[in-house]
């Protein structure tokens, strides 16, 4: 997945669908544009400063010999620096910022100077190889079960590719290549037999392959995935008893070969990164068994292990997936990183299959699970994202283990590159190779390259507050192509692509689509949804405008009977947004509220509230007001609930 620009290398095999790069799309709506501005001007600088203030950058200075002292903090803290370089690079691709560019150049210089001669880059060891930081092990990679050496390398590569594509500079890319060459020489069929204790490098090696065309990186990614589940003679047990889970093979999805895995198990973030890589490698090598494994695991996640907010990973003790339907609300762990990983995976699944259900998932996760991870102000973060609070939960400025903030920042910064895609429509009738997929409804203007020409698209919408969307097309020249409009599951009476959640009320008005040419009246388009899309194929002319109407009533959702924590309870959703009841709008308490099935739901837009939100209100056991889940905890602490009892 290349989000910035067309890959410089013509790869022998790839996804049949490609994302329209972020640099071709400008978001200019009232919902996301301000959030991306906050991400760029508040969140990214905030994290850069936290990394400076907490010794994360100093660790590189020490490894480079510019400062004395021991490695500070966790051995995986380097990734907080890499991930924010990645986020800032996307930001530079969209909005030039000489100061930010210089800051990145300085960080990259430091990283380059921290690299050992043969490419090894791990300040936690390099600073004092005789006395490496806790958990790092006496020799390189010997504690890979828990050392995170390969995990750190993966985030280095992702940052390097983003920086290279955004700026054209090879400074960090060359560092990454030197490190990856060492990794590829060290691990493999004739080298060390071990797998990454925390998956991440697999998908990063795929990115490095895309950026360089060096097939060795793809081969090593493929090998790391195929090696999982086999004996690992070069992976002795991690000795720290406090982290015994590192030796549990299921914790790192290593309990069986991936092609035999049926259930999503273990650490949720690790799983998401692995599954994303499995999907990439399936597409780039044509490995059908990998594709089937990804399909199977995806079905398992969406059927039994998914919160309504799109969050995954219900168990806090080891940040892991639970048993079937184990989805507690107050204790929900649902790490922000797991939501980011879930989105990265679902986007790849869409590129592989061209099915809108993956974007349905992507959208649910983005608008709820991901977006709740950051405050409206952009400078405090959730690590855990519970669906219920007794008043104790609150966002904080940074963390000892700070994986989430920069992960969220890099995710949001990529949004322009996740709205459209182009390429094959293997499920169209007939199959075509010239389809523009409109996946997300976000006001923007875009220059979409389709075959040899450009199609300028202006999308106008108040989504997610309103389901009216117009897309004006200005194609160069004439000729037929297909526009595939995603009809979200929530607009088709299917909140998730499984039986895990369902609407408990009637849909009411149905979606509709029309096309209007200049000086002509609107033509209604047959509402024929296949694999989540209505396809419109015609000789598009300049100024042709598609009008999509997705009625957006406030609706009730109930969970599968297997989810005991949601039994007898209802949740509210409107459009893609899951709603939450928060104490401050409800006389200071919400956990005792009852919303009977018969209570009417009203919604209205309140420009004065939480930067402008549509609220849902009604009369339950007392009058209630619900706000979008993502916006909770922006007015102090208090009780919160997504699921509410239907009977006293
Ligand atoms: Zn995290």
């Amino acid at each position: 997945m290349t989000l910035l620009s067309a890959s410089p290398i013509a790869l022998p095999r790839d996804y049949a669908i490609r994302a329209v790069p972020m640099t071709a799309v400008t978001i200019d709506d009232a919902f996301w544009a301000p959030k991306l501005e906050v991400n760029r001007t508040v969140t990214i600088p905030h994290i850069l400063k936290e990394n400076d203030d907490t010794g994360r950058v100093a660790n590189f200075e020490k490894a480079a010999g510019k400062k004395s002292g021991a490695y500070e903090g966790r051995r995986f803290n380097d990734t907080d620096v890499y991930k924010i370089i990645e986020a800032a690079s996307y930001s530079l691709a969209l909005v030039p910022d000489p100061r930010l560019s210089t800051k990145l150049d300085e960080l990259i210089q430091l990283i380059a100077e921290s690299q050992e001669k043969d490419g090894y880059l791990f300040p936690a060891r390099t600073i004092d190889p005789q006395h490496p930081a806790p958990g790092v092990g006496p020799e390189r990679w010997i504690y890979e079960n828990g050392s995170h050496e390969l995990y750190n390398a993966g985030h280095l590569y992702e940052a390097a590719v983003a920086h290279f594509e955004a700026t054209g500079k090879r400074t960090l890319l060359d560092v990454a290549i030197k490190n990856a060459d060492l990794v590829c020489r060290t691990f493999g069929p004739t080298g060390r037999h071990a797998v990454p204790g925390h998956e991440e490098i697999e998908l990063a090696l795929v990115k490095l392959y895309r950026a360089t065309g060096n097939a060795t990186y793809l081969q090593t990614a493929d090998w790391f995935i195929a090696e999982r589940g086999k004996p690992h003679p070069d992976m002795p047990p991690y000795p720290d008893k406090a982290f015994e889970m590192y030796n549990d093979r299921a914790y790192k999805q290593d309990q069986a070969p991936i092609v035999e895995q049926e259930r999503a198990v273990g650490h949720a973030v690790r799983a998401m990164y692995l599954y994303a890589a499995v999907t990439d490698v399936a597409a780039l090598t044509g490995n059908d068994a990998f594709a089937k494994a990804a399909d199977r695991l995806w079905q398992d996640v969406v059927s039994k292990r998914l919160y309504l907010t799109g969050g995954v990973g219900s168990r806090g003790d080891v940040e892991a997936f639970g048993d079937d339907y184990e989805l507690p609300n107050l204790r929900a762990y649902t790490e922000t990183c797991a939501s980011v990983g879930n989105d990265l995976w679902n986007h790849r699944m869409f590129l592989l299959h061209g099915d809108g259900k993956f974007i349905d998932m992507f959208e649910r996760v983005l608008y709820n699970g991901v977006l709740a991870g950051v405050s409206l102000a952009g400078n405090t973060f959730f690590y855990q994202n519970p669906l219920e609070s007794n008043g104790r939960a609150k966002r904080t400025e940074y963390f000892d283990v700070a994986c989430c903030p920069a992960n969220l920042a890099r995710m949001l910064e990529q949004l322009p590159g996740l709205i459209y895609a182009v390429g094959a429509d293997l499920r169209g009738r007939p199959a075509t190779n010239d389809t523009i997929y409109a996946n997300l409804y976000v006001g923007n203007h875009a220059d979409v390259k389709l075959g040899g020409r450009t199609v300028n698209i202006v999308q106008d919408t108040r989504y997610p507050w309103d389901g009216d969307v117009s897309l004006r097309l200005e194609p160069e020249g004439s000729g037929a192509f297909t526009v595939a409009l995603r009809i979200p599951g929530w607009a088709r009476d299917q909140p998730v692509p499984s039986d895990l959640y369902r609407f408990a009320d009637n849909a009411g008005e149905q979606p509709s689509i029309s096309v209007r040419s200049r000086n002509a009246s609107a033509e209604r388009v047959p509402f024929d949804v296949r694999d989540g899309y209505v396809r419109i194929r015609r000789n598009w002319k300049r100024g042709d405008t598609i009008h999509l109407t997705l009625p957006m009533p406030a609706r009730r959702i109930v969970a599968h009977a297997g989810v005991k924590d949601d039994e007898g309870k209802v949740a509210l959703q409107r459009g893609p947004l899951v709603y939450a009841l928060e104490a401050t709008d409800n006389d200071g308490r919400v956990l005792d509220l009852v919303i009977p099935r018969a209570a009417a739901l009203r919604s209205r837009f309140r420009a004065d509230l939480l930067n402008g939100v549509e609220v849902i209100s009604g009369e339950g056991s007392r009058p209630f007001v619900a706000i979008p889940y993502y916006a909770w905890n922006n007015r102090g602490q208090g009780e919160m609930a997504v699921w509410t009892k239907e009977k006293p």
Side-chain angles (χ1 to χ4, degrees):
M1 176 168 56
T2 302
L3 291 169
L4 289 172
S5 54
S7 174
I9 309 290
L11 303 176
R13 185 179 193 121
D14 209 333
Y15 288 107
I17 302 171
R18 299 173 305 283
V20 171
M22 61 197 294
T23 46
V25 182
T26 304
I27 293 177
D28 53 14
D29 71 338
F31 185 82
W32 281 109
K35 293 194 190 309
L36 296 190
E37 186 67 6
V38 167
N39 195 47
R40 186 178 74 80
T41 60
V42 179
T43 308
I44 292 174
H46 174 87
I47 296 168
L48 283 165
K49 182 169 186 309
E50 288 286 347
N51 288 346
D52 280 333
D53 293 350
T54 55
R56 285 165 162 85
V57 173
N59 286 331
F60 288 99
E61 292 178 290
K62 292 168 188 170
K66 296 189 152 175
K67 201 173 195 172
S68 59
Y71 187 90
E72 239 183 296
R74 311 291 188 122
R75 57 206 175 281
F76 39 76
N77 279 3
D78 306 348
T79 61
D80 304 326
V81 179
Y82 299 147
K83 272 191 281 191
I84 204 63
I85 291 175
E86 183 187 344
S89 295
Y90 298 138
S91 154
L92 286 180
L94 299 172
V95 183
D97 180 339
R99 268 183 57 200
L100 182 61
S101 179
T102 303
K103 172 80 182 168
L104 294 196
D105 287 343
E106 289 165 6
L107 286 173
I108 289 167
Q109 176 70 27
L110 211 47
I111 293 165
E113 289 176 34
S114 309
Q115 186 166 36
E116 298 187 19
K117 275 202 175 60
D118 65 354
Y120 188 74
L121 210 180
F122 196 53
R125 183 185 312 286
T126 303
I127 290 171
D128 185 357
Q130 299 309 312
H131 308 92
V136 162
E139 304 160 32
R140 290 179 179 184
W141 298 299
I142 196 83
Y143 284 5
E144 183 50 40
N145 269 311
S147 69
H148 291 70
E149 279 154 292
L150 295 173
Y151 168 77
N152 285 14
H155 279 301
L156 166 68
Y157 307 166
E158 287 204 87
V161 170
H163 187 255
F164 168 63
E165 292 191 342
T167 65
K169 295 178 193 169
R170 294 188 58 97
T171 43
L172 194 55
L173 185 68
D174 286 338
V175 172
I177 287 171
K178 203 170 161 190
N179 183 269
D181 289 346
L182 173 68
V183 167
C184 293
R185 277 200 307 277
T186 304
F187 294 86
T190 57
R192 291 183 79 90
H193 279 260
V195 295
H198 191 316
E199 300 94 314
E200 151 65 22
I201 197 172
E202 300 88 344
L203 71 85
L205 281 165
V206 171
K207 284 191 175 182
L208 204 56
Y209 161 61
R210 284 177 177 287
T212 62
N214 184 345
T216 306
Y217 304 144
L218 178 62
Q219 285 157 5
T220 302
D222 178 65
W223 184 83
F224 274 141
I225 293 170
E227 194 65 7
R228 214 158 269 280
K230 295 183 184 168
H232 310 309
D234 299 313
M235 237 177 151
Y238 191 77
D240 187 343
K241 293 290 169 228
F243 293 91
E244 193 54 42
M245 72 274 194
Y246 290 149
N247 295 322
D248 170 10
R249 296 190 67 169
Y251 174 78
K252 50 183 181 286
Q253 297 76 40
D254 191 29
Q255 76 282 12
I258 191 77
V259 295
E260 293 170 17
Q261 294 188 24
E262 305 279 341
R263 262 191 60 187
V265 297
H267 187 265
V269 180
R270 283 170 167 80
M272 292 296 116
Y273 290 174
L274 172 65
Y275 304 161
V278 169
T279 310
D280 270 346
V281 172
L284 291 161
T285 65
N287 186 332
D288 199 40
F290 279 4
K292 287 203 168 70
D295 290 349
R296 220 168 34 236
L297 291 162
W298 185 87
Q299 201 58 53
D300 177 72
V301 170
V302 303
S303 302
K304 290 172 186 155
R305 268 163 264 286
L306 178 77
Y307 280 98
L308 188 61
T309 53
V312 289
S314 49
R315 286 191 186 166
D317 52 351
V318 286
E319 308 184 318
F321 284 105
D323 289 333
D324 292 2
Y325 306 114
E326 181 186 335
L327 295 163
N329 292 310
L330 178 67
R331 288 182 295 108
Y333 198 72
T334 50
E335 182 178 342
T336 303
C337 284
S339 286
V340 170
N342 202 359
D343 262 351
L344 296 175
W345 180 32
N346 273 286
H347 188 249
R348 286 165 169 81
M349 290 293 278
F350 158 74
L351 296 177
L352 185 66
H353 292 299
D355 192 317
K357 68 185 178 186
F358 301 110
I359 303 297
D360 287 354
M361 279 293 301
F362 179 94
E363 179 179 69
R364 173 170 298 277
V365 176
L366 176 72
Y367 278 90
N368 303 289
V370 170
L371 203 47
V374 62
S375 61
L376 297 178
N379 57 1
T380 56
F381 309 90
F382 275 134
Y383 190 112
Q384 294 153 248
N385 294 275
L387 280 76
E388 184 175 309
S389 174
N390 50 22
R392 286 197 209 114
K394 75 180 188 79
R395 294 187 186 85
T396 55
E397 287 174 5
Y398 216 52
F399 305 89
D400 172 32
V401 175
C403 47
C404 297
N407 217 353
L408 191 141
R410 73 178 180 138
M411 179 78 234
L412 295 184
E413 211 55 38
Q414 294 175 69
L415 185 62
L418 298 163
I419 294 173
Y420 300 106
V422 293
D425 179 9
L426 305 174
R427 319 226 174 173
R429 294 181 200 147
T432 60
N433 205 25
D434 53 4
T435 292
I436 300 175
Y437 291 87
N439 277 335
L440 298 181
Y441 298 117
V442 176
N444 72 82
H445 55 275
D447 291 316
V448 177
K449 295 264 186 291
L450 184 68
R453 63 179 163 157
T454 300
V455 179
N456 178 260
I457 300 178
V458 177
Q459 185 183 147
D460 193 15
T461 180
R462 285 185 67 245
Y463 201 94
W465 309 128
D466 179 323
D468 287 343
V469 182
S470 79
L471 293 130
R472 195 180 74 234
L473 274 60
E474 303 277 353
E476 285 175 349
S478 63
F481 59 90
T482 302
V483 176
L485 297 170
R486 184 176 69 94
I487 309 302
W490 62 257
R492 292 182 287 111
D493 232 18
Q494 195 177 24
V496 291
S498 71
D499 63 358
L500 189 51
Y501 302 103
R502 63 184 166 80
F503 287 114
D505 49 14
N506 292 321
E509 198 189 341
Q510 292 301 300
S512 62
I513 302 173
S514 64
V515 179
R516 186 194 296 269
S517 293
R518 273 188 186 143
N519 308 319
S521 53
E523 285 171 55
R524 191 136 179 153
V525 174
F527 196 73
D528 174 16
V529 184
R530 274 202 314 283
D531 296 315
Y533 292 89
V534 167
R535 295 154 170 84
I536 312 175
R537 184 166 188 87
R538 55 192 268 158
N539 272 307
W540 296 95
K541 296 190 299 295
R542 296 180 78 86
D544 284 358
T545 302
I546 303 167
H547 290 280
L548 167 66
T549 303
L550 302 167
M552 214 181 253
R555 297 194 66 185
R556 290 177 156 76
I557 289 185
V558 292
H560 186 283
V563 187
K564 293 302 168 206
D565 289 274
D566 298 341
E567 203 170 0
K569 293 184 173 181
V570 65
L572 305 178
Q573 181 170 330
R574 184 176 180 278
L577 297 174
V578 173
Y579 275 68
L581 293 146
E582 204 174 16
T584 181
D585 303 304
N586 294 284
D587 296 333
R589 59 194 214 289
V590 299
L591 299 180
D592 63 336
L593 241 163
V594 177
I595 303 181
R597 193 66 66 92
L601 302 176
R602 293 181 300 275
S603 73
R604 73 183 176 102
F605 191 73
R606 286 209 23 210
D608 60 317
L609 190 66
L610 297 163
N611 294 350
V613 290
E614 189 93 15
V615 298
I616 298 176
S617 59
E619 286 279 339
S621 49
R622 52 196 165 86
F624 68 86
V625 173
I627 59 161
Y629 172 76
Y630 77 77
W632 89 278
N633 200 250
N634 277 285
R635 295 168 294 171
Q637 288 161 267
E639 288 183 0
M640 180 278 289
V642 168
W643 292 95
T644 307
K645 286 194 219 53
E646 289 198 288
K647 290 179 185 151

